[in-house]
Amino acid sequence: MIDYEIRSKVQPVGERKGQTVYYAHPKTQQHMTNKAVVEHIVRETSLSAGDVSNALISLSNIVCEALKQGSSVDLAELGSLRLSISSKMMDTPEQVTVKDALNTPKIVFSPKQAMRDAANSVELSIDHSRVTPAGKGDTPRGGEDESSGDTGGSGL
């Protein structure tokens, strides 16, 4: 489950400039450590913890080498990794150079259907008991006198 709190901020630009708006923000960032991943794989297979750790390190090395070569990597039921490098628009053909026209490479992960289904089935919850202004820590703040006063469940 991912639990959200409601935060507010005053919009600095755009059609809502000066208006207080409300949005959902995760209360905590959940994280599964490498150790937990290894332990789960050990429980589900006949591999030792050392074997699993070595396999994950080898996978990392193989993926890095493939990306350095510009190759995509198919990770079976997980999905695939590939590089995406966008280009800036230049005025003349001579200006189109690696240094000037190409942006920093980004790694794109394309999950397989089972992983997309898992992400789409995560349980979500919004805590309406308080509104926390962004950047103010855990200071409760009501929204009755702000904007329309609606702190409904839709995030912006």
Side-chain angles (χ1 to χ4, degrees):
M1 173 187 275
I2 302 175
D3 200 17
Y4 287 81
E5 65 184 358
I6 299 172
R7 288 195 175 175
S8 66
K9 72 176 184 176
V10 176
Q11 283 292 88
V13 295
E15 75 178 46
R16 293 184 175 185
K17 182 176 181 174
Q19 178 182 346
T20 300
V21 294
Y22 301 89
Y23 61 98
H25 185 270
K27 286 185 176 183
T28 60
Q29 178 66 43
Q30 298 177 9
H31 179 75
M32 180 180 264
T33 65
N34 181 63
K35 182 178 178 182
V37 170
V38 169
E39 289 172 358
H40 276 72
I41 294 173
V42 166
R43 281 197 309 263
E44 292 191 20
T45 67
S46 61
L47 299 172
S48 71
D51 290 339
V52 173
S53 293
N54 286 339
L56 291 175
I57 290 168
S58 295
L59 176 62
S60 173
N61 293 339
I62 292 166
V63 168
C64 288
E65 186 62 33
L67 292 176
K68 284 179 186 176
Q69 295 174 5
S71 298
S72 65
V73 181
D74 184 351
L75 297 173
E77 296 307 308
L78 291 175
S80 62
L81 294 166
R82 65 179 171 81
L83 291 178
S84 174
I85 306 166
S86 59
S87 177
K88 300 173 188 169
M89 298 297 165
M90 308 305 272
D91 294 327
T92 66
E94 294 76 29
Q95 291 176 312
V96 181
T97 63
V98 169
K99 180 183 173 206
D100 297 327
L102 297 179
N103 293 315
T104 304
K106 305 286 186 230
I107 300 171
V108 177
F109 175 68
S110 300
K112 294 277 174 94
Q113 187 63 47
M115 191 172 284
R116 289 194 304 267
D117 291 344
N120 290 332
S121 68
V122 68
E123 189 177 333
L124 304 172
S125 169
I126 297 178
D127 179 2
H128 285 88
S129 66
R130 67 180 189 177
V131 176
T132 303
K136 300 291 184 189
D138 291 328
T139 308
R141 177 175 158 183
E144 297 80 31
D145 60 341
E146 303 285 350
S147 179
S148 66
D150 179 15
T151 58
S154 65
L156 299 175

